Amino acid sequence: MKPRQQEGIGMTSQRTRDRLIARLQTRGIHNTRVLEALRVIPRHLFVDEALASRAYEDIALPIGHKQTISQPYVVACMTEAIMQENIPSKVLEIGTGSGYQAAVLAALVDQVYTVERIEPLYLQARRRAMRLGLHNIRFKLSDGCWGWEGYAPFDAVVVTAAPSEIPSALTDQLAENGRLVIPVGQTSGIQKLMLLRKSRGSIEQENLGDVSFVPLVQGKVYT
């Protein structure tokens, strides 16, 4: 689903977005559909207005509640990883945050299911999706470690926070030949970005490199 056009000016203009896409290409992102999704999704609408001028830098930015919007390169890398063999139809995201990763996915796949544990972020992300006309995203306020069993199995799962160990619910809810991309490691510092493939009941793992994510925390937060 294509988002409604949201043009920016100055540091949020299409020209600025195009420079980011060129940078991602030099860093090894080659999937043209992924690059186009990052080109058209207005990242400046997913951060506070005070940070909008930095939205198209290839950096993570704070979104409040000790959370961040991921670096565009990492978003592109994770999205490209789940589209290696084919385009998944139904994708589960754990850790909605600002809603940016969900918006990128919604521009590429039929259905996105996204889970957030912090209520203000969950509500804000839903409003942003409505503003952009992204009606193929379903939101849930819940503990991401549980996944979303009611809509399983999923062709792909994208996790945007780092557990010390991969929650078994997420691999259980992965469809046959499905892919799971997840940062794994200690709750602070550097983690390993892992790509898991489910085949004939077994799980194959591939290390995509070092990343740095906020920890995957259990329990819902109402504030």
Side-chain angles (χ1 to χ4, degrees):
M1 175 174 289
K2 293 184 178 180
R4 295 173 185 155
Q5 287 294 324
Q6 296 282 342
E7 294 295 339
I9 59 174
M11 292 301 290
T12 64
S13 68
Q14 192 63 56
R15 182 177 298 177
T16 305
R17 302 183 207 182
D18 290 343
R19 285 198 294 268
L20 171 62
I21 299 308
R23 178 174 174 80
L24 296 180
Q25 289 176 304
T26 64
R27 295 198 62 184
I29 303 299
H30 301 300
N31 187 301
T32 56
R33 296 187 76 247
V34 173
L35 290 167
E36 182 60 19
L38 269 80
R39 188 194 307 274
V40 300
I41 297 297
R43 191 172 185 250
H44 63 280
L45 298 183
F46 292 84
V47 297
D48 289 340
E49 189 173 350
L51 294 172
S53 64
R54 305 195 67 191
Y56 299 101
E57 296 177 29
D58 191 20
I59 57 173
L61 293 169
I63 58 172
H65 305 278
K66 299 182 180 179
Q67 305 297 303
T68 61
I69 181 173
S70 294
Q71 177 185 358
Y73 170 75
V74 174
V75 172
C77 182
M78 296 178 79
T79 306
E80 191 172 62
I82 66 166
M83 297 180 64
Q84 285 181 358
E85 287 87 20
N86 50 57
I87 301 172
S89 176
K90 187 166 63 170
V91 178
L92 172 66
E93 180 197 25
I94 302 300
T96 312
S98 68
Y100 178 67
Q101 173 74 80
V104 170
L105 291 169
L108 294 165
V109 308
D110 293 335
Q111 301 171 73
V112 179
Y113 297 83
T114 183
V115 179
E116 174 56 53
R117 63 181 288 271
I118 301 174
E119 187 179 29
L121 295 180
Y122 156 80
L123 293 172
Q124 190 175 55
R126 286 182 61 191
R127 289 194 294 268
R128 285 171 175 150
M130 291 176 62
R131 178 180 177 184
L132 290 170
L134 297 173
H135 302 301
N136 58 334
I137 307 176
R138 288 179 180 264
F139 295 84
K140 184 178 184 181
L141 179 65
S142 181
D143 185 330
C145 293
W146 301 338
W148 199 338
E149 187 175 10
Y151 287 101
F154 299 96
D155 302 314
V157 179
V158 175
V159 185
T160 62
S164 57
E165 296 181 355
I166 299 170
S168 60
L170 302 185
T171 53
D172 290 345
Q173 293 173 27
L174 199 60
E176 179 69 12
N177 298 316
R179 283 146 286 161
L180 165 64
V181 61
I182 181 171
V184 182
Q186 299 300 315
T187 55
S188 62
I190 301 299
Q191 302 103 20
K192 300 294 184 182
L193 185 62
M194 303 301 298
L195 175 63
L196 283 66
R197 298 179 181 88
K198 191 172 189 177
S199 177
R200 298 179 181 178
S202 64
I203 301 292
E204 301 173 356
Q205 298 190 27
E206 178 184 348
N207 184 353
L208 301 180
D210 293 341
V211 288
S212 181
F213 277 82
V214 298
L216 182 64
V217 180
Q218 293 183 315
K220 290 182 285 188
V221 177
Y222 300 94
T223 57

